[in-house]
Amino acid sequence: MDLAEIWRVMRRRWYVLIPGLVITAALAAAVHFLVPVEYQSQSTVTLLNSKKATEAFDGNPFLSTQTSLTGMADGLARNLNSDGAVADLKALGLTGKHEAKIADNALGPFMWLTVTGTDRAAVLKSDEILTKYAQKRLDDFQTQQTVRPEAMIRMATIVPPQEPQAQTKSRIQFLVMAGALGFVLSLVATFFVEARKRRGPGKHRPDPAEEQGDGPEALAPEPEERPAAPGPAPVSRTEEPAVERTLGIRRPPSWARSDQDGPAAAQPEAPQPVMAAPTTAEPLDEESTHGHRPHTGQ
């Protein structure tokens, strides 16, 4: 089926296609209004060396970065994503979903603190709460280890919580899925109606197997083979046929025949009883020939 035929079918069955497209548009509109827009705010923080560790650099913490700070940043991010931290943040007023992780392609102990939600103002406030809570959790870790204040690792905010941005990726995905599904179902319904109309009501198109002999005729039982009619019994060469007994023509007995008559001459039969020669007074015993007299000499 080419594109021209598809277009002809769609134009012929417009009363099926158009309602399907209308339902698809309604479904897409429902997805647009029912699926809320999500907003996301993100801040970037970094871990710095303690005041005591930066004395050799005149107190500049950015000159004394250490690889151990990256490990501390990874541990802090895992703690912020734990269930205990989630409960604490909700108690502080955080709404939506939050995530803490090491920044992508980071060359130091940089962390991303992200909050996602449907309320734009609440997302920005929640990101600020998350940033302050991260600083508090870092101090709690070191306090539990009885670290002196001058030797504690510090945290600095590189990028403050940003203005929330709309995240339309998931919404567009739902819209595309709803539109594609509705359009495909409309086409399927259109061609289904076309196929039913071509076949006609109450008609059954036989399967190819039935057309090739799998129909009702093929299922009929095959006639039983009848035994062949018995043919004429083979005539033995030692027994004279019935024709010779009925005709007036007499042939010499088998034992008196020459050797040319076949292998039966080699096996002479028992001599028949000799009948008395007819006298002149008695006529010859001739069988009735029904008006037919045999030729002499035979």
Side-chain angles (χ1 to χ4, degrees):
M1 182 178 291
D2 54 359
L3 294 178
E5 180 65 20
I6 294 176
W7 171 250
R8 285 193 292 269
V9 173
M10 294 171 61
R11 186 176 58 183
R12 202 160 42 237
R13 308 301 172 192
W14 60 270
Y15 54 86
V16 179
L17 181 62
I18 291 180
L21 295 180
V22 172
I23 295 175
T24 301
L27 181 62
V31 170
H32 177 77
F33 288 105
L34 294 179
V35 176
V37 180
E38 290 187 345
Y39 296 93
Q40 187 178 88
S41 177
Q42 187 178 81
S43 63
T44 305
V45 297
T46 184
L47 300 184
L48 302 175
N49 258 331
S50 62
K51 294 181 179 179
K52 186 175 182 180
T54 58
E55 291 178 357
F57 302 94
D58 295 333
N60 190 347
F62 295 101
L63 297 177
S64 61
T65 57
Q66 298 178 0
T67 56
S68 59
L69 295 177
T70 304
M72 185 61 192
D74 181 63
L76 179 61
R78 294 175 185 273
N79 181 267
L80 293 175
N81 293 328
S82 63
D83 295 338
V86 171
D88 293 343
L89 289 170
K90 285 185 178 181
L92 293 174
L94 186 144
T95 59
K97 298 180 297 183
H98 74 279
E99 182 184 14
K101 66 175 186 177
I102 296 179
D104 297 339
N105 303 321
L107 299 178
F110 297 98
M111 295 175 56
W112 280 346
L113 305 177
T114 307
V115 176
T116 305
T118 56
D119 189 350
R120 191 167 188 170
V123 167
L124 179 59
K125 183 179 179 180
S126 298
D127 197 14
E128 294 174 352
I129 293 173
L130 178 60
T131 304
K132 293 179 181 179
Y133 183 77
Q135 176 67 54
K136 177 178 179 300
R137 290 302 299 164
L138 178 62
D139 295 341
D140 292 343
F141 285 155
Q142 299 178 88
T143 302
Q144 293 173 2
Q145 301 298 325
T146 64
V147 179
R148 291 179 298 175
E150 63 274 9
M152 286 186 178
I153 298 174
R154 296 169 291 174
M155 177 182 291
T157 302
I158 302 298
V159 179
Q162 298 296 296
E163 189 68 22
Q165 300 295 326
Q167 305 296 311
T168 59
K169 181 179 179 180
S170 59
R171 194 179 187 185
I172 292 175
Q173 288 177 348
F174 283 118
L175 286 174
V176 171
M177 291 173 59
L181 180 62
F183 183 72
V184 170
L185 291 179
S186 301
L187 288 181
V188 170
T190 301
F191 283 94
F192 177 76
V193 173
E194 176 68 16
R196 292 295 299 270
K197 293 293 184 180
R198 288 186 178 182
R199 181 177 297 181
K203 293 183 180 180
H204 172 68
R205 183 172 297 175
D207 296 335
E210 295 181 359
E211 295 179 355
Q212 296 178 1
D214 292 340
E217 297 179 358
L219 298 178
E222 298 181 357
E224 298 181 358
E225 297 182 358
R226 296 181 178 179
V235 180
S236 176
R237 298 187 63 87
T238 60
E239 182 182 356
E240 294 183 0
V243 179
E244 297 182 0
R245 294 198 302 269
T246 57
L247 294 178
I249 303 173
R250 292 184 176 276
R251 298 182 62 184
S254 58
W255 57 270
R257 296 176 187 172
S258 61
D259 296 339
Q260 298 178 356
D261 292 338
Q267 299 177 359
E269 296 181 354
Q272 298 181 357
V274 180
M275 300 179 63
T279 59
T280 57
E282 295 179 359
L284 295 174
D285 186 10
E286 295 182 357
E287 295 180 356
S288 175
T289 58
H290 301 281
H292 172 71
R293 215 173 264 281
H295 296 283
T296 60
Q298 297 182 355

